[in-house]
Amino acid sequence: MNPLVSAQPSPADLPASGDPARWPWLQRLRRDPALTVEPWLRAIETGALTPEADLLTALAAQLDAAAELRLLRWWAAQPSPDPRLPALLGRHRDPRLGAWLLARLQDGPAALAAGLAPVVAEGLLPLLGAQRLPQAWPVLKRWLLAPVAGPLRRAALEGVAVGLPVWPRADLRGCLQGLAADLDPRLAAGAVDLLARLPRSRRLLLPLARRGLDPSVALRLQRRLAATPVQPLLLVVHGRSGGVLPAEVLDLAQELEQRRGAPVRLQALTAASPPEAGSWLRSGPQLTLVPLLLLPGGHVRHDLPAIAAHWRRLTPLLRLPFLGAWPRWQAGLAAEVQALAAAHAGPGLQPLLLHHPLTTPLAGRYLARLEQVSGGRAHATPYSAGELAEFQLPRSAPALPLALAANRFTDRLGDRVGPPLLQRPALRQLLLEELEALP
Amino acid sequence: MTGSSLPSAAASATAPPATAPPATAPPAAAPPAAAPPAAAPPAAGQPPLSPPLSKIEQAKAELCGLELAPRLEELGRQGWEALDEATLTIRLKWLGIFFRPVTPGRFMVRLRLPNGVIRAEQLEVLAEAVDRCGEHGSADITTRQNIQLRGLLLEDMAPLMAALEGVGLTSRQSGHDNPRNITGNPLAGIDPEEFLDTRPLVDAIQAALLGPAGPRNLPRKFNVAVGGAPDSFLLHNDLAYLPALRAGDLGFTVMVGGFFSAQRNELAIPLGLWLPAGQLPAFTLAVLRHYERAGNRQQRNRSRLMYLVDQLGLEGYRQAVLASWQELAADLGPELGGDPAAACPHDGSHLVSRAPRDGLGLQPQKQEGLHWLGLHVPMGRLDGEAMTELARLARTHGSGELRLTEAQNALIVNVPAERVEALLAEPLLQRLRPDPSPLQAEAVSCTGNAYCGFALIPTKGTAQAVLEELERRVELPHAVRMHWTGCPNACGQPYMGQIGLMGAKARKDGQMVEAAKIFLGGSMEAEPKLAELHDKGVPLSDLPDVLEELLVERFGARRRTSAGA
Ligand code: HEM
Ligand code: SF4
């Protein structure tokens, strides 16, 4: 047979639904590399042919964007459109297709009142998401948040799902976090699942755990959290002499371990040796080293690299910057300073940030920055026993000790400068949440 | 047949693709020995593969899907609509990722679970992947002791592949023209009746096939299986190794060419070779290397191995495979290439003599004091919750290991006597029963129209409803294997069922309605047989009546007398 004269499969020849010849016929149609789709489109548009799902499945791979658009137009105009069809179309990302979808759905649920059939909206919303047009985000959101039937809102959420990487991140996060508490548990569950797909999802999911969610959604949240990988943490703290760990530090580590469901170990700079390397090290793909040090002094520059080198010989290691450099921590300090200033209102009473003496230019720059961010004024204080005995606080300005946990300084001057930072509820809470949300 | 004209199957000749060799090139019967598989377009001077390549062959030759692995994250960010058709529907399958036309944007991932073995922590990773897809997510146990996950977004793939690797799983080359999941005795290593443990053999074959010497571009899919027990029925595979004695030594006789399709169904036939266990990986490589080179790449519906056997004749095929092995051994050395001299002529007799056990319920292992518990998974479909629970049961009551069967069921193994009672009291067993009815126990079903655009009936739903109705009507003395499939593609292996059912349409009261063809007589016993057409279209509404009649007449079923009568 000469393939050049072989007839094009024609709509008129398509065996009727139920004819045993139809199935193999459609298989060939699907694979025909030389198929012209125009007669098929025309037959459908003129009503000569009803596009059942099996026919569209066979044609789907052969359609270009323009053909898909024609079929979608035809479909949307049907008196009772077959809900299965749109999923088989819209396989191409195409400006005209996108614009058409946008125009249909633009007005949000108001379009329903203007004659858009719910079944059409439901079919088109996921396709709109798949086009990934930035302009589609507010449209999807409009449908998602409107008081309309569940299936429509869920179709909009599917639209969000299939375009997930392109929506504006902050708005998306907020929107999904809100939906997680929605009264429709199916929608809420979908929102939780999508949050779990975003980068650094623990930070997004954890706050939900403290909200009153539908029980099935809360369980789903637990499962998502359980599956977001959590590394074991090594908290490096200064410690007291002889490696003694202050109670508030032990307490923090214990609560953290419970909340994270993964090992948390402490290493004091003042201790003779690091904690033992045991099976806890292998509870995650790597160890996260968290320097709970407040100032970029000698400990950060010399001790930390040595500590990191020690652990790196045992496990892959992720080393975080020292706590004093974390923007959220600095913001927390600023809030504490402002509260202090408010309580001691008076002219010229800029709160002091009492810190261990530092010598390097780097440390100087750091302190300048901290002053700027927090509104406090850095003030070096002696720490050695002898000097401490002599030490007098300048004027009567309020002061904040830059000491995470109880030390000689806060022991001695606690009644003047208040408790160390970890004993202050707001800062403790902030640190706990930051550490909990770490991967 | 009606008189309708079929779309031209030969139309591939009309448009020579740009990368294809010139049409004047002589058709190449077999490229020279050392020619590498066609992973790249044939370079100048290299013999062309054939006349112009089909769209599929062209796509495969241009770029091997495995090359996409490092780009998955980027592809996820771009979204699937940005992919070209060949990448979307062909190449991604080399990574085990399937675009599903019925659920565009929601992808399927098919794993490889050699010998159907899976551990609790692996199952948990899969459970999580499915669970986070919510209403879209589910998993099927397949008829190749494997699992496929549904409802995933393309963005999920990069993290999922990393998570799979983290627990020692892979989805590599699990679809399209690749060697599929290798099956073995689901009870391997715990089976009081086994001749040998198939697990290390299956693992070694998989390692060889996925290793650097393995095939990347076969003409068509390829199924390999290893038998280890008297019930290892495996003749539906392209290449099956059945346990066989030769001069008192236990080894394997080689069976080739089994497959089912819409066009043709064959059981594998003896190749006339016997191999010691250690040679299976190398021999498999040799068979596939030969198939890769000599298989039919012009007509996809004539490219399964049996067509090649037909073309060369059994004797000619055996010689060709042995020559391929010699060459492989010379290329790779004895470590990977094996020892062709170890192959012995054989009459094809083997130790497999009966249909597969269902393995359900509590059964003693060959290890003193240990049991396995076989659970029935209705239609092989699992959700995230059931998977998580299965993993927990395996961990708390067994050794954390599970097995999957070709009848789409799951076994929890290594349960010590003192854990049995607690295990049997687990609530999950209400859903996945250890003691399903004889009809449910071995019912097998393809996906059907929830995920497959060609299904003529909703396969899984229909099967479940009809079986439940039949359970109410009749009592059966023993299990009856029913295989359900949604269309002539025969994914549900209807020809292997004692009763096979295939989606169809039929006329009833002047209306066209959903219906099922009925096949009867499939046997996996000592004299294996494929089922034959018995009825070409029973409307689904009449199906319970017709099947009830059949069960009573042919399978010894007794009608239940209704309670009131
Ligand atoms: C066991 C004895 C030690 C005690 C009691 C002690 C006490 C302290 C205290 C209370 C701080 C306040 C900063 C914070 O809480 O983050 C501090 C920081 C500091 N310590 Fe120590 N320390 C000891 C060991 C050392 C050693 C051996 C060195 C020098 C090699 C050193 C050098 C510094 C420096 C430079 C800082 C400033 C900021 C920083 O690096 O974090 N300390 N020390
Ligand atoms: S047998 Fe047909 S309906 Fe079933 S999965 Fe295969 S192609 Fe789909």
Side-chain angles (χ1 to χ4, degrees):
Chain A
M1 174 174 94
N2 178 353
L4 293 176
V5 299
S6 76
Q8 273 277 329
S10 138
D13 296 330
L14 173 67
S17 192
D19 188 322
R22 182 177 170 100
W23 189 87
W25 207 94
L26 287 175
Q27 295 298 320
R28 301 256 189 122
L29 182 69
R30 176 165 74 115
R31 298 211 161 95
D32 189 338
L35 183 75
T36 319
V37 278
E38 184 54 35
W40 293 89
L41 298 179
R42 217 172 314 120
I44 291 168
E45 285 165 343
T46 57
L49 186 64
T50 317
E52 316 228 5
D54 62 348
L55 171 61
L56 265 202
T57 307
L59 280 179
Q62 306 260 19
L63 301 175
D64 60 13
E68 290 188 325
L69 181 53
R70 274 172 70 181
L71 283 180
L72 279 172
R73 278 206 169 105
W74 167 86
W75 173 79
Q78 292 305 294
S80 52
D82 179 344
R84 289 174 303 169
L85 296 197
L88 296 169
L89 300 165
R91 284 168 68 153
H92 297 273
R93 203 174 294 156
D94 174 78
R96 287 182 51 212
L97 190 51
W100 183 80
L101 288 165
L102 207 52
R104 301 278 88 56
L105 299 165
Q106 189 101 276
D107 296 339
L112 297 174
L116 178 68
V119 59
V120 171
E122 207 181 313
L124 298 187
L125 279 164
L127 300 192
L128 176 62
Q131 293 294 320
R132 300 190 173 201
L133 300 168
Q135 318 87 286
W137 168 245
V139 177
L140 289 171
K141 221 168 85 171
R142 212 165 292 150
W143 286 92
L144 204 49
L145 302 177
V148 290
L152 278 169
R153 299 179 69 205
R154 290 198 293 273
L157 190 63
E158 178 64 3
V160 172
V162 294
L164 202 61
V166 297
W167 314 130
R169 225 5 103 63
D171 200 12
L172 172 69
R173 283 193 296 249
C175 177
L176 292 175
Q177 283 179 317
L179 282 176
D182 197 271
L183 290 178
D184 176 352
R186 289 162 74 188
L187 202 66
V192 167
D193 290 335
L194 290 183
L195 281 170
R197 287 185 164 84
L198 297 179
R200 290 181 296 285
S201 59
R202 276 185 73 77
R203 193 181 281 285
L204 307 174
L205 293 172
L206 278 166
L208 300 181
R210 293 185 260 288
R211 301 227 307 253
L213 300 182
D214 177 274
S216 71
V217 180
L219 280 175
R220 178 165 287 276
L221 177 66
Q222 285 318 315
R223 295 201 295 271
R224 290 303 76 79
L225 276 172
T228 52
V230 203
Q231 329 276 8
L233 293 187
L234 180 70
L235 308 182
V236 177
V237 295
H238 197 291
R240 308 202 60 165
S241 65
V244 172
L245 292 161
E248 59 268 38
V249 168
L250 289 169
D251 189 59
L252 176 84
Q254 202 173 22
E255 181 168 354
L256 192 58
E257 184 164 85
Q258 205 183 15
R259 288 172 81 152
R260 285 174 59 86
V264 175
R265 292 291 187 278
L266 286 162
Q267 177 166 4
L269 296 176
T270 49
S273 52
E276 233 169 277
S279 60
W280 65 274
L281 261 187
R282 263 155 293 288
S283 61
Q286 63 182 4
L287 175 66
T288 304
L289 190 156
V290 191
L292 293 185
L293 301 174
L294 302 181
L295 301 165
H299 292 309
V300 167
R301 277 180 291 116
H302 306 299
D303 300 353
L304 276 183
I307 291 173
H310 165 79
W311 292 104
R312 205 166 264 134
R313 281 193 289 275
L314 302 168
T315 175
L317 188 81
L318 175 69
R319 180 177 151 188
L320 299 186
F322 73 104
L323 175 61
W326 298 9
R328 282 179 224 248
W329 172 259
Q330 293 178 354
L333 272 185
E336 196 72 24
V337 167
Q338 273 139 38
L340 212 55
H344 296 259
L349 292 186
Q350 191 183 17
L352 299 176
L353 299 165
L354 304 177
H355 64 87
H356 192 285
L358 295 161
T359 52
T360 62
L362 168 72
R365 286 201 300 279
Y366 172 77
L367 287 172
R369 165 87 190 139
L370 193 64
E371 287 183 327
Q372 198 186 358
V373 172
S374 70
R377 198 154 57 75
H379 186 81
T381 53
Y383 267 56
S384 75
E387 288 169 321
L388 254 180
E390 321 264 286
F391 177 67
Q392 292 296 310
L393 266 183
R395 295 176 287 150
S396 55
L400 191 67
L402 281 189
L404 193 60
N407 62 16
R408 235 182 280 177
F409 184 80
T410 59
D411 285 354
R412 163 101 170 74
L413 293 167
D415 49 345
R416 283 289 325 275
V417 302
L421 303 182
L422 204 46
Q423 290 183 21
R424 297 167 187 247
L427 285 172
R428 179 182 191 275
Q429 189 59 24
L430 184 151
L431 185 56
L432 192 62
E433 284 176 17
E434 287 300 306
L435 295 175
E436 185 185 9
L438 287 178
Chain B
M1 282 290 281
T2 65
S4 47
S5 74
L6 285 170
S8 161
S12 62
T14 51
T19 56
T24 50
Q46 240 185 340
L49 283 167
S50 66
L53 296 176
S54 71
K55 225 162 72 176
I56 293 176
E57 286 297 329
Q58 209 184 322
K60 292 194 295 174
E62 273 167 19
L63 174 70
C64 174
L66 294 176
E67 312 275 339
L68 296 172
R71 290 182 46 210
L72 264 187
E73 198 181 333
E74 175 198 335
L75 298 185
R77 250 178 291 124
Q78 291 169 358
W80 62 271
E81 310 84 348
L83 299 181
D84 63 281
E85 190 73 17
T87 295
L88 186 63
T89 61
I90 300 174
R91 296 191 189 109
L92 278 176
K93 290 180 182 160
W94 265 248
L95 302 177
I97 300 170
F98 294 66
F99 174 75
R100 303 280 66 212
V102 179
T103 57
R106 294 287 182 172
F107 286 72
M108 182 182 99
V109 166
R110 184 185 294 144
L111 301 173
R112 302 188 78 94
L113 299 176
N115 211 117
V117 179
I118 186 167
R119 295 192 314 271
E121 75 269 19
Q122 297 175 322
L123 190 57
E124 277 163 352
V125 167
L126 307 184
E128 169 63 17
V130 163
D131 192 40
R132 75 213 292 263
C133 298
E135 304 172 7
H136 302 275
S138 69
D140 294 325
I141 301 177
T142 74
T143 51
R144 293 201 67 76
Q145 301 180 297
N146 201 354
I147 288 184
Q148 50 198 31
L149 311 174
R150 293 179 184 282
L152 300 151
L153 298 172
L154 193 56
E155 290 92 318
D156 293 342
M157 296 306 165
L160 175 62
M161 297 294 141
L164 292 181
E165 201 181 310
V167 291
L169 286 174
T170 180
S171 60
R172 217 182 98 174
Q173 290 181 272
S174 57
H176 217 279
D177 298 345
N178 278 299
R180 304 301 182 85
N181 192 44
I182 305 168
T183 60
N185 177 9
L187 302 169
I190 61 171
D191 185 356
E193 299 185 42
E194 75 182 351
F195 305 116
L196 49 73
D197 184 348
T198 54
R199 287 173 303 175
L201 301 175
V202 170
D203 286 343
I205 297 173
Q206 166 156 319
L209 294 186
L210 299 189
R216 303 289 178 267
N217 179 2
L218 294 175
R220 203 78 161 79
K221 71 169 161 179
F222 198 93
N223 291 329
V224 181
V226 182
D231 64 340
S232 294
F233 182 89
L234 298 172
L235 298 182
H236 47 302
N237 286 276
D238 295 278
L239 175 60
Y241 298 108
L242 299 186
L245 291 169
R246 192 190 149 275
D249 288 340
L250 181 60
F252 294 89
T253 196
V254 180
M255 312 290 289
V256 293
F259 78 109
F260 302 140
S261 75
Q263 290 81 29
R264 181 177 174 190
N265 303 293
E266 294 291 348
L267 291 176
I269 55 174
L271 181 60
L273 282 183
W274 179 96
L275 300 168
Q279 298 300 326
L280 300 193
F283 183 79
T284 308
L285 272 183
V287 166
L288 283 172
R289 202 180 245 212
H290 175 257
Y291 177 57
E292 188 166 45
R293 208 178 279 158
N296 183 345
R297 289 183 192 262
Q298 278 72 56
Q299 300 146 293
R300 288 186 64 77
N301 58 4
R302 300 179 59 82
S303 55
R304 291 294 289 268
L305 184 66
M306 189 59 109
Y307 290 100
L308 183 56
V309 176
D310 287 350
Q311 183 199 326
L312 301 178
L314 189 60
E315 180 62 33
Y317 177 67
R318 184 171 60 238
Q319 293 314 325
V321 165
L322 286 172
S324 159
W325 194 6
Q326 293 286 359
E327 186 193 291
L328 182 88
D331 275 7
L332 302 179
E335 181 81 13
L336 275 174
D339 174 16
C344 303
H346 195 249
D347 63 5
S349 61
H350 54 74
L351 300 169
V352 175
S353 55
R354 28 180 255 255
R357 289 160 285 177
D358 63 19
L360 296 178
L362 188 71
Q363 304 203 30
Q365 295 184 188
K366 74 176 181 190
Q367 293 86 357
E368 188 69 32
L370 293 180
H371 290 79
W372 81 76
L373 181 69
L375 297 178
H376 176 242
V377 180
M379 299 300 140
R381 180 143 299 166
L382 291 167
D383 56 22
E385 202 183 316
M387 290 158 82
T388 309
E389 268 301 277
L390 266 181
R392 186 182 65 78
L393 301 201
R395 206 199 309 275
T396 34
H397 303 296
S399 59
E401 185 182 312
L402 297 110
R403 306 291 182 88
L404 306 177
T405 72
E406 286 190 293
Q408 303 175 321
N409 293 322
L411 320 179
I412 292 171
V413 304
N414 300 325
V415 181
E418 67 272 15
R419 303 289 327 171
V420 165
E421 198 179 329
L423 174 54
L424 291 176
E426 289 282 359
L428 182 68
L429 274 53
Q430 306 299 316
R431 274 181 74 193
L432 310 183
R433 303 179 58 87
D435 57 347
S437 79
L439 280 174
Q440 300 264 8
E442 296 182 64
V444 162
S445 158
C446 81
T447 291
N449 68 357
Y451 297 108
C452 180
F454 291 106
L456 298 166
I457 58 170
T459 322
K460 283 190 195 282
T462 306
Q464 197 57 31
V466 169
L467 292 183
E468 280 166 18
E469 175 62 24
L470 287 171
E471 272 169 11
R472 280 190 285 275
R473 297 190 189 184
V474 299
E475 260 176 297
L476 272 160
H478 48 72
V480 173
R481 257 190 351 272
M482 277 202 208
H483 283 226
W484 297 75
T485 204
C487 80
N489 230 15
C491 305
Q493 306 170 334
Y495 312 105
M496 278 170 62
Q498 287 169 293
I499 302 179
L501 296 124
M502 180 185 286
K505 300 273 177 196
R507 206 163 274 287
K508 184 177 181 181
D509 307 331
Q511 294 267 16
M512 200 52 85
V513 295
E514 292 182 333
K517 289 184 187 178
I518 299 181
F519 296 80
L520 284 182
S523 167
M524 301 194 241
E525 310 286 334
E527 298 288 327
K529 224 165 92 20
L530 293 177
E532 282 168 13
L533 187 63
H534 167 78
D535 192 316
K536 65 184 192 358
V538 178
L540 293 189
S541 51
D542 300 343
L543 203 51
D545 293 342
V546 172
L547 288 175
E548 177 183 344
E549 203 61 38
L550 274 175
L551 288 172
V552 170
E553 278 175 16
R554 305 203 183 198
F555 295 93
R558 272 198 352 203
R559 289 199 168 82
R560 287 180 206 275
T561 44
S562 65

